[in-house]
Amino acid sequence: MKANEFKKRRQQLLQSVGVGNIALISSAGMHTRNRDVDYPFRQDSDFYYLTGFNEPDALAVFVPGREEGGYILFCREFDETKALWEGAHAGLEGAAKHYAADEAFSINEVDEKLPELLAGKRKVFYPLGHDAELDASVLDWLKQLREKARSGATAPHELSAIEQILHEMRLFKSAAELKLMRLAADVSAQGHIKAMQACRAGRYEYQIEAELVYHFMQAGLRAVAYPSIVAGGKNACTLHYTGNTDILKDGDLLLIDAGAECDHYAADITRTFPVSGTFSDAQRQLYQLVLDAQTAAIAQVKPGADWIQPHEAAVEVLTRGLVKLGLLKGRVKKLIKDEKYKAFYMHRTGHWLGMDVHDVGDYKINDEWRVLEPGMVLTVEPGLYIPADCKKVDAKWRGIGIRIEDDVLVTEDGNEVLTRSVPKTIAEIEALMQQAR
Ligand code: GLY
Ligand code: MN
Ligand code: MN
């Protein structure tokens, strides 16, 4: 991402915050995994969106109209020993030079400087209630200021969630963001193809996960966007199965939900395919139903449609199909009204996608479902999950879990499926897998 893109975002934020107010946003912290070992660092998406700065222990402050410049970055000072043990970090000079901060201060000075910066402002925008440490610090800085009231200092009297500004910005993807999302989508799509080709009975689920991650990294993308789900057979009915520890069996399906992250932008793809390379009759019928539901849902992704329309289209197709196959009994309309499909389809058909896999942005405005607009990216991911112990359905359906998930951009005249290069028709999947044997 070019420096100019971050600058444009900051300018937009400064304008929305308005002269006389101030905005704060803090970096992510490090998290301990176990004694002396940390989890890999992942920057806070809001913080990175505005700064491009990829270090912990930092606070960005935005003061519209400030004479010395409106963007102040508090970060770690450069430290030789730290550099030796932990590697490069920008330091104060780097923060100004490489990250375009108008001024940079040591993070150790934050408690001293923040009351000064807050003095005389009306409103503080920050991620209210998101980070207990920042909440406590903001209240403490305000208290310090109020204690100085007799010397003429005035403290802000309003705290406001910065998300209402920032998340609305993040919901609409720029050309530069879409470039990264397309790359994440392409690499992830290729990873799924490799996984289909590598799938064999007798291999462990985590060995198929390794094929995906190997491909992501070889293609230049360092991290996954979320823990991969590689779920053989009935494991697919556990929606957040990430153990990936079982052996794959002939006759089972394999559900893979995995995506790579490209410079903090996610892809999120699910495919379900037979371990043997050939669907059984029951698998084929349920799979085709989920695919029909996904096709119907994707057709609803267009400017002017409501957020909920793709979900409603999927529910309609799934319910009708479940009745036809004998898994539900009754009138389709009534079954939908009574949400009977939830026994087999218990999640929503999608979510916003961006820097976070479940990305930010309101789904409703004034209690009404949001209208889709060009530049928004969402997933479309219907599924069916028939519990292994479900006595209400014929035994042949039990323990089958299927989801098909693509990433879809709303365009001026409809949509573009960013992840379309992974096969998903029964014929395409069987042909690809048989070729690989
Ligand atoms: N991978 C999480 C999801 O599909 O929402
Ligand atoms: Mn997913
Ligand atoms: Mn998803």
Side-chain angles (χ1 to χ4, degrees):
M1 188 72 75
K2 295 216 174 83
N4 203 39
E5 176 87 5
F6 294 109
K7 190 171 168 192
K8 268 196 285 187
R9 296 170 182 174
R10 290 193 294 269
Q11 282 168 343
Q12 199 181 333
L13 178 82
L14 283 162
Q15 200 166 13
S16 301
V17 167
V19 175
N21 301 322
I22 184 168
L24 315 173
I25 189 109
S26 64
S27 72
M30 295 299 294
H31 297 283
T32 305
R33 180 177 181 275
N34 58 323
R35 196 178 172 85
D36 289 348
V37 179
D38 290 327
Y39 282 107
F41 176 71
R42 169 55 159 79
Q43 188 56 283
D44 175 82
S45 297
D46 284 335
F47 184 88
Y48 192 83
Y49 181 80
L50 291 170
T51 65
F53 191 72
N54 205 15
E55 293 181 26
D57 299 325
L59 179 78
V61 181
F62 300 95
V63 188
R66 181 169 176 265
E67 226 167 85
E68 306 89 319
Y71 170 34
I72 304 149
L73 189 58
F74 289 84
C75 63
R76 303 179 301 189
E77 285 173 74
F78 186 78
D79 178 327
E80 294 268 357
T81 315
K82 203 173 190 56
L84 185 67
W85 284 81
E86 293 169 28
H89 50 288
L92 307 187
E93 233 172 84
K97 202 162 145 193
H98 303 302
Y99 297 92
D102 294 313
E103 274 192 289
F105 297 108
S106 165
I107 191 71
N108 298 327
E109 288 185 86
V110 79
D111 288 326
E112 186 185 322
K113 296 267 189 229
L114 254 291
E116 290 169 26
L117 288 165
L118 289 165
K121 305 296 184 299
R122 286 190 304 272
K123 216 180 201 187
V124 188
F125 288 91
Y126 86 102
L128 203 63
H130 179 75
D131 165 359
E133 209 177 318
L134 185 61
D135 283 330
S137 295
V138 169
L139 295 182
D140 188 54
W141 299 327
L142 293 179
K143 183 165 167 272
Q144 283 186 46
L145 251 183
R146 271 191 234 106
E147 281 163 5
K148 287 193 200 136
R150 256 170 295 154
S151 55
T154 58
H157 48 73
E158 209 178 316
L159 301 179
S160 194
I162 196 171
E163 289 91 336
Q164 50 176 337
I165 300 173
L166 210 44
H167 292 181
E168 199 58 22
M169 288 166 65
R170 279 179 54 193
L171 179 56
F172 294 88
K173 274 65 180 178
S174 69
E177 291 181 289
L178 287 173
K179 199 170 157 195
L180 298 176
M181 291 192 74
R182 280 180 208 286
L183 188 54
D186 288 346
V187 169
S188 303
Q190 275 304 314
H192 275 264
I193 292 174
K194 301 270 184 203
M196 283 183 194
Q197 291 170 328
C199 177
R200 296 284 183 282
R203 297 194 77 185
Y204 282 92
E205 292 164 338
Y206 59 77
Q207 291 177 314
I208 307 302
E209 179 184 5
E211 301 282 349
L212 286 153
V213 175
Y214 177 82
H215 177 76
F216 296 167
M217 289 199 194
Q218 288 298 338
L221 303 190
R222 178 67 183 85
V224 288
Y226 55 92
S228 309
I229 297 170
V230 181
K234 66 176 169 37
N235 292 341
C237 298
T238 305
L239 294 181
H240 293 157
Y241 176 81
T242 51
N244 303 350
T245 46
D246 281 354
I247 292 182
L248 298 173
K249 291 200 283 289
D250 253 334
D252 276 352
L253 292 177
L254 175 58
L255 180 154
I256 299 184
D257 184 345
E261 192 172 77
C262 177
D263 194 4
H264 298 79
Y265 286 84
D268 183 8
I269 304 180
T270 308
R271 286 294 183 270
T272 310
F273 53 89
V275 171
S276 68
T278 310
F279 287 88
S280 72
D281 283 345
Q283 291 165 350
R284 192 176 295 267
Q285 291 182 70
L286 286 184
Y287 185 90
Q288 190 59 48
L289 179 51
V290 176
L291 184 56
D292 290 345
Q294 203 219 18
T295 307
I298 291 175
Q300 296 301 315
V301 178
K302 55 195 168 198
D306 284 356
W307 162 261
I308 202 68
Q309 271 174 240
H311 179 65
E312 286 173 346
V315 163
E316 161 103 35
V317 173
L318 290 174
T319 307
R320 202 170 285 287
L322 288 168
V323 170
K324 213 164 157 197
L325 296 176
L327 284 98
L328 287 179
K329 288 181 185 59
R331 277 180 41 240
V332 172
K333 263 204 176 131
K334 174 103 169 75
L335 291 168
I336 292 175
K337 190 166 160 273
D338 297 343
E339 301 186 331
K340 293 292 184 200
Y341 57 87
K342 281 196 172 168
F344 309 118
Y345 180 44
M346 55 298 280
H347 60 76
R348 289 266 178 190
T349 302
H351 49 81
W352 302 128
L353 182 72
M355 298 184 82
D356 294 307
V357 63
H358 289 179
D359 207 32
V360 296
D362 288 332
Y363 291 96
K364 277 190 168 178
I365 294 179
N366 297 331
D367 241 13
E368 299 278 342
W369 290 110
R370 177 157 207 152
V371 172
L372 298 180
E373 294 177 59
M376 295 171 165
V377 181
L378 57 143
T379 67
V380 179
E381 49 177 308
L384 282 175
Y385 314 91
I386 320 298
D389 59 358
C390 183
K391 298 283 181 307
K392 283 185 291 184
V393 301
D394 196 294
K396 66 180 177 182
W397 308 117
R398 293 180 202 157
I400 297 180
I402 298 165
R403 179 164 63 254
I404 307 172
E405 174 174 32
D406 281 300
D407 303 343
V408 185
L409 165 68
V410 184
T411 59
E412 294 292 338
D413 50 10
N415 69 63
E416 180 190 338
V417 181
L418 303 177
T419 47
R420 62 187 172 277
S421 62
V422 204
K424 65 181 171 187
T425 67
I426 291 173
E428 283 168 349
I429 290 174
E430 289 188 342
L432 176 84
M433 292 188 71
Q434 278 149 25
Q435 250 171 29
R437 259 140 227 270

